[in-house]
Structures are given as structure tokens and as C-alpha cells.
Amino acid sequence: MSVFGLETEFGITVHGDGPATGLHPMHWSNLLVRTYAELAGATQRWDYDTENPLVDARGFTMPRDIAHPSQLTDDESMANLILTNGARLYVDHAHPEYSGPEVTTARDAVVFDTAGDRLVQAAAERAGARLGQQMRIYKNNTDGKGASYGTHENYLLARSTPFHRVVVQFSGFLVSRQPLTGAGRVGIGQHSERPGFQITQRADFFESEVGLETTLNRPIINTRDEPHADNRVHRRLHVITGDANRSEFAGWLKVGTAALVLAAIEADLVGDGVRLAKPVAAMRTTSHDLTCGTLLPLADGREVTALDLQEMYAAAVAKLLETQPERLLHPAEGHELLVAWQDTLDALRRDPRELADRLDWVAKWVLLESYRDRDGLPWDHPKLALIDLQYADLDLAKSLYSALVRKGRMRRLVSDEEIERARLEPPTDTRAYFRGRCMARYPQSVVAAAWDSLIVEVPQRRSLLRIPMLDPLRGTQAHVGEHLDAHEDIGGLIVALGL
């Protein structure tokens, strides 16, 4: 486990009669982000010069003229904020998107991800008040009518790890983890062609095992080779298969177990025996099977269930923790995750309903079945789809997830005080600390930002300076905190840092 982070694209709607009703969701999203800029005083320019989303880990670069427009990320007409917590809030096509700061623990990933939920909801309430209409935000991944939007995970890997090994050994993990991390969904198929309930929101939208795209012909293993760091040393694995979790426990398990498995793959402890024969088909089969008992064919001819496959990965992680704990920045959290992982697998084998206080799909399934039993509703009844959506609502007063939390029926891992602090302040142990503190301390001097650099205006030099941040574990509070505290103007900081 090293450095990782989460990105969430939110569903957005505007209700009521008013000027915004007929606008494209892109305009609603732009209003939301610009409204948060006013609330937080955030800088509104992202630096695209260091980004290239068309570089492929398989050794080539997709020509820009044949790339789908959704793969290009340089639309500077849309609002794009750098926040004091080190995160980014911007418009990604038709959705507001929050990209959390770099963190080193799965727990921090949950804290900063949830902080993103809170700040997006605050912006939506203010934007709605300005419009005189209600703006609603949903942390989900599909509208149930054929559209899907992502919740992406990012994991820092060593460049020396063969990418082929990642493809062969990690795709089975992403397929089989769905019973632990799914958000649950009413409807089967991309357009909800068949009635029913499935474990995840995203599974039906994947069509290949390996590829560069993220919005069409979606692959289980994404090959975008854009590390946002020193590319001689690092690789960033961009994972697009995950659901948007409301449950803090499920989000912690999602990020933490993936980071542990990738560490085990880097240590060459997993092996090729986990490769599925047909991963795309297995992705959908696993999501559609609420019993978690369907056999999936492996490439070597054996058949295992998703839970069996997860046990194989957990065994590799246990060996990593026993023999090479130095590979992890936080081995204590690794041990904690392994225990929770095994306990969850055991409960899924006994009865998934035991996990209604921890896993989103189980909580949602139990809730929906209670309505079905009470009112005799078939799975294609519109009321069930509405309940599905209401679970994902970010409005604390309307969200069914939040109602479960208030009733003590959903387990919490972090406090509201931690979340509020993370809304404003960056993590202290990655370069996000330097980015976020500069935004808070010298907002007028920061001209633009990227994940791996800051562009600042230094009055004493009468010029712009790009500050490189190629090592995600530099620029921490331990490295630069004293200098940031000591200097009220950025010129003094630059001198102190020897830049």
C-alpha cells in the first residue's frame, strides 16, 4: 500500500419550474462548481499542460484525432477548482466530479471522499437557492436508462512491475470483489431491460478486459499510462470498475483490499492461477448472483466462486503481511483490513443479510425487499427504482442511506468532525499537503495547478514559476510545514525551499 485516491462523478438533476429546467446537465454542473468557488474562494484554473490521457501502458499513444472526445480532458471553458484540502472539483462532461487528494491509508481515502460528498451537496444547496429551483445530487453510477458514470480509483505502482502481470493477476480481483463493494442496483442490463436486483451498478457496462477507454467499450483493466508523477519510477493504475459507495466500511474495504492485492502482485506473491477464462462475462454473472455461489471458469480449467477467488487473493495478502510488511506504508491497517476482509467473506458465505449494516448492496436489498413484502411490488415497479435513487441522494434529510445511519443501522468508521476538517484541510503525509496549504495561504499567487506541479506568480521575480511535485510522498507536513507556517508571502517560501 502506498499512495492512492478516489474520483467520483455525481448524478445531477434540477427540479421545479425555472430558468435551469431546460438546460443541459453540463450547465447545471458548471453552476455547481462555480458556486463552490464563491463559497471557498478557490482558484479556477487547472493546468492541462502536464496531462496526456492518450498514453497507453501497452507501449503506444492513441492519436488525438481518432480519440473519442470523452477521452480528452482539456475543456477550459468549464469550471475547474483547486481546493484547500488538496482536491480538485470540476465539470467532467455532464457531471460534477470531485477528485480527492492523494492519501496513504484506506481510512483517509474514505474521509476525503466523504468530505467531497459534503462540499458538493453544500454547493448544490446554494446553487439551487440562487436558481429558485431544487438541485439534487446523487452518488451513484447509472440513471437506469443506459447512461453510466464513474467512480474511479487510482493506485501508485512501481514502474518496474510488469504491466502484463497486473493485467493477468488483477482482473480476477476486480471481478470477484463485487459482493464486498457493490452499491446495489434495481434493473438488469445497461438499459434495465430485465427486472431484478443486482449487486453492482457498473458491471453491465463493461465490454472488454483491457483497454484505454473509460466512457465507451469500457475495460476491466484500464491502460491509461498517466502517472502524474515521475514516470521513470511510478505507474498509476486507473481503476474504473468500482461503484460509488455510501457505506464508509464498503469504501474502506474497496480501496484497502485493492491496494493490498496490488502490493502482493508487485511482490510476485499472487501468481497466474487467479486468471478468469472470460472476465467480462464473469463480471456480469457475479453482479447478477445474489447468492455469491455461481461457479466461474478460470483460464486453467478450474471453476471457483467469486468468494473462493477472493480467498485466494486474501491468502496472498496474508503472506505479504507475514513476509514482506516493509512493502506497506501502514502494515497495521493492512492487518486490520485482512481481518475485516475475511470476516466479510465468511458472512457472505453464511448469509449476506448479516452485512446489512456494512455493505451498500445488502443494505439496499434488505430495504427494497421490505417494501416488496409490504406492498407486493414486482422488481420493475417504479417505486423500487425511486428508492434505489433515494439511497444515493446526498441530501442528509432525504437520503435513505443517511436515514439508516441516523437509526444506527449502518456502521460508521469516521466522525463528522474528521469529515468537516477534511473538507478544508489536506492530508499531512503526501504532496497534497503542499498543494492544499499553498491554496489556503497564498491563493492570489497560485496561477494554476496539476497533480504533479504548481504554477505560482512570484512578485519578486516578476515571472511565473512551475514548482515540480513529481514525488507524491514529498511536500508533506514533515517536509514543508515549518516553511509554510513561517512565510506569509510566497516569495519567502520559494527562497526558503531553494527554488
Side-chain angles (χ1 to χ4, degrees):
M1 295 170 71
S2 58
V3 180
F4 34 86
L6 290 168
E7 313 168 18
T8 300
E9 299 172 30
F10 296 93
I12 183 170
T13 63
V14 170
H15 298 268
D17 295 328
T21 301
L23 296 178
H24 191 276
M26 176 181 65
H27 297 291
W28 303 339
S29 300
N30 202 40
L31 174 63
L32 181 146
V33 176
R34 292 189 185 281
T35 298
Y36 193 76
E38 297 171 4
L39 282 170
T43 294
Q44 294 194 56
R45 185 184 164 219
W46 188 256
D47 176 21
Y48 287 103
D49 290 346
T50 64
E51 297 195 3
N52 189 349
L54 303 181
V55 177
D56 196 295
R58 292 169 291 184
F60 60 87
T61 299
M62 178 184 290
R64 195 176 182 87
D65 59 350
I66 69 169
H68 191 274
S70 65
Q71 298 302 111
L72 306 176
T73 60
D74 55 358
D75 185 357
E76 297 193 35
S77 67
M78 293 291 103
N80 208 322
L81 309 182
I82 309 126
L83 308 183
T84 59
N85 68 353
R88 178 186 179 194
L89 178 65
Y90 67 112
V91 180
D92 187 10
H93 308 293
H95 302 274
E97 177 165 336
Y98 170 84
S99 295
E102 306 92 322
V103 296
T104 65
T105 71
R107 190 178 187 280
D108 274 353
V110 172
V111 171
F112 283 92
D113 183 55
T114 310
D117 299 347
R118 299 287 175 87
L119 67 87
V120 167
Q121 177 59 26
E125 290 173 3
R126 180 156 176 167
R130 172 179 296 175
L131 291 171
Q133 297 178 253
Q134 189 176 54
M135 183 177 284
R136 302 287 288 275
I137 305 297
Y138 302 97
K139 192 177 184 181
N140 67 347
N141 300 108
T142 180
D143 63 359
K145 301 175 183 178
S148 180
Y149 30 97
T151 299
H152 298 168
E153 305 150 57
N154 299 285
Y155 301 93
L156 196 71
L157 302 180
R159 176 66 62 175
S160 58
T161 302
F163 190 72
H164 176 71
R165 186 195 299 169
V166 176
V167 172
V168 170
Q169 298 180 7
F170 195 56
S171 62
F173 173 78
L174 295 176
V175 169
S176 61
R177 74 172 180 170
Q178 294 178 89
L180 292 84
T181 62
R185 176 188 164 198
V186 173
I188 309 294
Q190 292 188 3
H191 294 81
S192 301
E193 300 93 329
R194 291 186 286 131
F197 180 80
Q198 61 175 306
I199 291 172
T200 75
Q201 300 226 327
R202 289 280 276 172
D204 289 341
F205 295 92
F206 286 85
E207 298 169 334
S208 62
E209 182 182 11
V210 184
L212 182 62
E213 296 82 6
T214 59
T215 58
L216 70 165
N217 193 30
R218 294 179 180 89
I220 295 172
I221 299 290
N222 183 259
T223 58
R224 179 181 294 180
D225 192 3
E226 190 181 27
H228 299 315
D230 187 341
N231 63 10
R232 298 166 301 177
V233 179
H234 303 296
R235 184 192 305 280
R236 176 179 63 111
L237 186 64
H238 189 54
V239 175
I240 68 172
T241 57
D243 280 5
N245 292 111
R246 299 304 314 276
S247 163
E248 295 167 0
F249 179 88
W252 176 68
L253 208 58
K254 175 177 70 178
V255 176
T257 57
L260 286 168
V261 168
L262 287 168
I265 289 172
E266 288 195 307
D268 205 10
L269 295 175
V270 173
D272 294 352
V274 293
R275 187 165 201 183
L276 290 160
K278 298 179 179 180
V280 175
M283 189 100 178
R284 299 181 183 187
T285 297
T286 300
S287 182
H288 300 170
D289 174 25
L290 304 186
T291 72
C292 307
T294 299
L295 291 173
L296 307 173
L298 296 176
D300 61 12
R302 292 176 296 149
E303 291 186 322
V304 296
T305 68
L307 303 185
D308 293 336
L309 196 49
Q310 283 287 297
E311 297 275 10
M312 294 163 67
Y313 283 107
V317 167
K319 187 172 182 180
L320 174 75
L321 288 165
E322 180 184 352
T323 62
Q324 302 181 55
E326 68 279 1
R327 285 182 171 271
L328 307 177
L329 289 177
H330 302 282
E333 188 185 42
H335 284 284
E336 186 182 359
L337 279 159
L338 183 61
V339 171
W341 187 4
Q342 189 61 63
D343 288 347
T344 304
L345 291 173
D346 292 342
L348 284 167
R349 290 186 187 280
R350 292 191 303 268
D351 183 353
R353 288 170 294 189
E354 292 182 19
L355 299 164
D357 66 337
R358 277 159 282 178
L359 303 186
D360 284 307
W361 78 267
V362 182
K364 190 183 290 184
W365 179 39
V366 170
L367 188 64
L368 289 164
E369 286 288 15
S370 70
Y371 280 95
R372 278 169 37 82
D373 291 342
R374 188 190 71 183
D375 300 332
L377 302 177
W379 275 115
D380 57 357
H381 195 284
K383 184 175 183 179
L384 299 182
L386 182 61
I387 292 168
D388 186 351
L389 186 62
Q390 195 173 353
Y391 183 92
D393 198 323
L394 288 189
D395 188 329
L396 296 177
K398 296 181 173 66
S399 166
L400 292 178
Y401 163 77
S402 297
L404 292 175
V405 170
R406 286 193 297 272
K407 294 176 181 178
R409 292 169 57 185
M410 185 63 70
R411 183 179 299 188
R412 296 288 308 274
L413 292 185
V414 302
S415 69
D416 289 336
E417 291 75 20
E418 289 175 285
I419 294 167
E420 178 58 22
R421 184 165 59 251
R423 186 178 69 82
L424 301 172
E425 300 176 14
T428 61
D429 58 353
T430 69
R431 66 186 176 191
Y433 179 81
F434 182 74
R435 183 189 310 116
R437 284 294 311 279
C438 283
M439 285 306 309
R441 196 146 174 79
Y442 319 113
Q444 302 306 316
S445 298
V446 178
V447 176
W451 295 114
D452 54 9
S453 65
L454 280 182
I455 298 177
V456 298
E457 184 175 19
V458 185
Q460 295 90 332
R461 300 187 182 187
R462 298 182 181 179
S463 64
L464 299 181
L465 173 68
R466 182 187 293 276
I467 303 173
M469 300 160 59
L470 293 176
D471 184 347
L473 291 174
R474 299 288 296 178
T476 67
Q477 184 179 47
H479 293 139
V480 298
E482 184 175 321
H483 295 304
L484 280 160
D485 292 338
H487 297 284
E488 295 186 1
D489 69 276
I490 200 159
L493 176 69
I494 296 303
V495 171
L497 294 177
L499 297 174

